[in-house]
């Protein structure tokens, strides 16, 4: 069995608390179904979460941690890694509390190599996911997840561990403050490592692109959806509306001027392109509507599946995308990002 490349994921770990709610519940709280409720005050968030507390089903969450867990699951289900072999790592920050212990237990049970910076003065990130008509409405309290520091990484993430890493994957959420950006830049600039970036949020790009664009030159692969790619085009002043043209322009900003841009479109074709105008379109397998339970984490699962086969000897981009689609199709048939029974 050939050795599987070691992948390191850097991100904001959360505990996801999923609850089924009615449309009337959302209306009564002036919440829009399928949105992220950033307009709520901290006390409003606390009161709403307390109201739903008895219904919560907890799972490990956070976009990057979800992708790391899915990559790990996929490697094992495809029997690409030997039993007990750990080929996926995660770095993030949590609080010294019960939710932090919950995340550590999940990572240990699922066989991830994890490094958590534990903070006594902040709570572990927590996200309330309200499911209504198969859409998710989110209320997030980032807590400790925002506080990962470069100095802690340098002191606590084992040098031998970093030597084994073949690629580093990070989401935009890791780059939102100067201190967190320093963490992202540290990993992006590691010698001989491939750096992969997810643009994660069109709304967030509006505020952090000036900082983030400087790290794009380190990236070999960038993941986005159409909204995020269009936002980059707007911020960069690119004319036109052709998604493929935007992909090429973004690719030219990446490492050596020829990165791979992967753009998802929900149930529509996934698009890939490089600066050499190597355009490919990959149909997404259809899933019967009555089998879809929760779309929460479908994009995270796609990335995890993609990266399970990425850089694996003997595989090509069609293998990476196909496995990404497969993993996404599994997650949408479950509630929350729970891999326990898969």
């Amino acid at each position: 069995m050939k050795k599987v490349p070691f992948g390191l994921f850097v991100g904001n770990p959360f505990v996801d608390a999923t609850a089924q709610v009615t449309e009337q519940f959302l209306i009564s709280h002036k919440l829009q179904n399928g949105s992220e409720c950033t307009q709520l005050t901290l006390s409003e968030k606390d009161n709403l979460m307390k109201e739903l507390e008895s219904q919560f089903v907890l799972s490990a969450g956070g976009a990057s941690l979800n992708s790391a867990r899915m990559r790990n699951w996929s490697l094992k289900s495809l029997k690409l890694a030997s039993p007990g072999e750990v080929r996926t790592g995660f770095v993030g920050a949590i609080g010294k509390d019960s939710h932090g212990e919950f995340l550590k237990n999940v990572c240990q049970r699922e066989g991830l190599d994890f490094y958590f910076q534990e903070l006594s003065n902040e709570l572990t990130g927590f996200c309330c996911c309200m499911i209504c008509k198969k859409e998710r409405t989110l209320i997030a309290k980032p807590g400790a997840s925002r506080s990962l520091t470069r100095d802690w990484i340098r002191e606590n993430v084992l040098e031998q561990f970093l030597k084994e890493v073949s690629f580093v994957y990070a989401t935009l959420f890791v780059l939102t403050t100067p201190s967190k950006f320093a963490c992202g830049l540290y990993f992006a600039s590691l010698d001989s490592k491939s750096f992969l970036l997810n643009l994660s949020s069109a709304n967030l790009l509006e505020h952090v692109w000036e900082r983030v664009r400087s790290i794009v030159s380190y990236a070999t692969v960038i993941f986005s959806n159409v909204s995020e790619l269009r936002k980059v085009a707007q911020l960069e002043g690119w004319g036109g509306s052709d998604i493929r043209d935007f992909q090429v322009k973004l690719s030219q900003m990446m490492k050596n001027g020829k990165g791979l841009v992967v753009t998802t479109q929900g149930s529509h074709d996934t698009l890939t392109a490089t600066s050499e105008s190597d355009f490919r379109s990959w149909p997404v397998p259809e899933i019967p509507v009555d089998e879809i339970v929760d779309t929460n984490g479908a994009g995270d699962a796609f990335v995890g599946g993609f990266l399970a086969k990425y850089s694996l000897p003997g595989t090509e981009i069609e293998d990476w995308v196909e496995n990404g689609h497969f993993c996404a199709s599994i997650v949408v048939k479950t509630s929350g990002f729970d891999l326990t029974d898969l």
Side-chain angles (χ1 to χ4, degrees):
M1 179 179 291
K2 295 180 180 179
K3 194 169 186 179
V4 175
F6 201 114
L8 175 62
F9 293 70
V10 186
N12 295 352
F14 277 74
V15 169
D16 283 348
T18 303
Q20 300 289 332
V21 300
T22 63
E23 191 170 19
Q24 185 57 43
F25 177 88
L26 295 176
I27 293 172
S28 67
H29 288 81
K30 299 180 181 179
L31 303 177
Q32 182 178 348
N33 194 19
S35 66
E36 184 172 350
C37 306
T38 56
Q39 78 280 9
L40 299 180
T41 65
L42 183 59
S43 61
E44 288 173 332
K45 290 180 180 181
D46 288 338
N47 290 337
L48 196 148
M49 289 181 183
K50 188 173 183 180
E51 189 175 344
L52 292 172
E53 190 173 17
S54 63
Q55 303 175 49
F56 282 157
V57 176
L58 301 185
S59 60
S64 188
L65 182 55
N66 283 345
S67 295
R69 294 171 58 222
M70 179 52 79
R71 179 184 191 258
N72 190 58
W73 175 86
S74 183
L75 288 174
K76 292 181 178 180
S77 68
L78 295 171
K79 295 182 170 54
L80 296 175
S82 301
E85 184 181 18
V86 179
R87 306 308 302 163
T88 305
F90 181 82
V91 174
I94 59 176
K96 288 186 176 180
D97 53 26
S98 60
H99 286 151
E101 290 300 315
F102 175 83
L103 290 179
K104 289 195 290 184
N105 289 336
V106 170
C107 291
Q108 187 170 30
R109 183 179 70 240
E110 296 184 2
L112 291 181
D113 196 340
F114 58 93
Y115 290 83
F116 284 127
Q117 181 177 0
E118 297 185 58
L119 304 167
S120 57
N121 61 338
E122 295 195 64
L123 298 176
T124 298
F126 192 85
C127 183
C128 171
C129 306
M130 295 169 283
I131 308 300
C132 177
K133 296 182 177 179
K134 302 180 181 180
E135 293 289 336
R136 53 178 175 150
T137 303
L138 304 180
I139 299 177
K141 296 172 64 177
S145 70
R146 300 170 297 187
S147 301
L148 184 67
T149 62
R150 181 174 56 184
D151 288 344
W152 179 88
I153 293 169
R154 285 175 168 170
E155 293 173 8
N156 294 276
V157 179
L158 299 179
E159 184 178 344
Q160 183 58 40
F161 171 72
L162 290 177
K163 285 181 179 178
E164 286 192 45
V165 169
S166 297
F167 69 81
V168 178
Y169 169 84
T171 60
L172 187 71
F173 305 115
V174 180
L175 310 174
T176 53
T177 66
S179 61
K180 289 173 68 178
F181 179 79
C183 296
L185 185 60
Y186 171 75
F187 284 114
S189 58
L190 288 174
D191 290 341
S192 71
K193 315 297 181 188
S194 294
F195 179 66
L196 295 77
L197 177 65
N198 196 316
L199 298 184
S200 305
S201 166
N203 291 334
L204 190 55
L205 279 167
E206 182 86 44
H207 305 287
V208 302
W209 178 246
E210 196 60 36
R211 181 187 303 124
V212 170
R213 77 186 308 278
S214 65
I215 210 171
V216 166
S217 62
Y218 291 94
T220 54
V221 181
I222 287 182
F223 296 92
S224 77
N225 61 30
V226 172
S227 296
E228 293 152 8
L229 189 59
R230 289 192 187 281
K231 177 57 69 173
V232 170
Q234 176 192 330
L235 295 170
E236 284 294 303
W238 298 334
S241 59
D242 188 343
I243 291 299
R244 297 198 179 281
D245 184 50
F246 296 160
Q247 286 184 303
V248 169
K249 283 184 166 64
L250 181 56
S251 176
Q252 291 169 344
M253 296 174 63
M254 295 164 65
K255 190 171 183 177
N256 299 324
K258 55 178 182 180
L260 171 64
V261 179
V262 182
T263 303
T264 57
Q265 304 185 95
S267 60
H268 300 291
D269 290 7
T270 296
L271 308 175
T272 61
T274 67
S275 58
E276 288 85 7
S277 301
D278 179 19
F279 301 125
R280 306 286 292 276
S281 182
W282 311 94
V284 177
E286 186 175 353
I287 303 173
V289 174
D290 60 353
E291 292 185 17
I292 298 176
V293 176
D294 177 10
T295 58
N296 184 25
D300 304 338
F302 171 82
V303 170
F306 185 103
L307 295 181
K309 288 198 170 183
Y310 172 74
S311 73
L312 195 67
T315 64
E316 302 289 344
I317 188 170
E318 51 262 41
D319 302 305
W320 312 343
V321 174
E322 180 183 32
N323 200 49
H325 286 162
F326 171 70
C327 289
S329 72
I330 290 175
V331 163
V332 299
K333 297 176 184 177
T334 65
S335 181
F337 210 96
D338 188 357
L339 307 180
T340 306
D341 298 323
L342 297 183

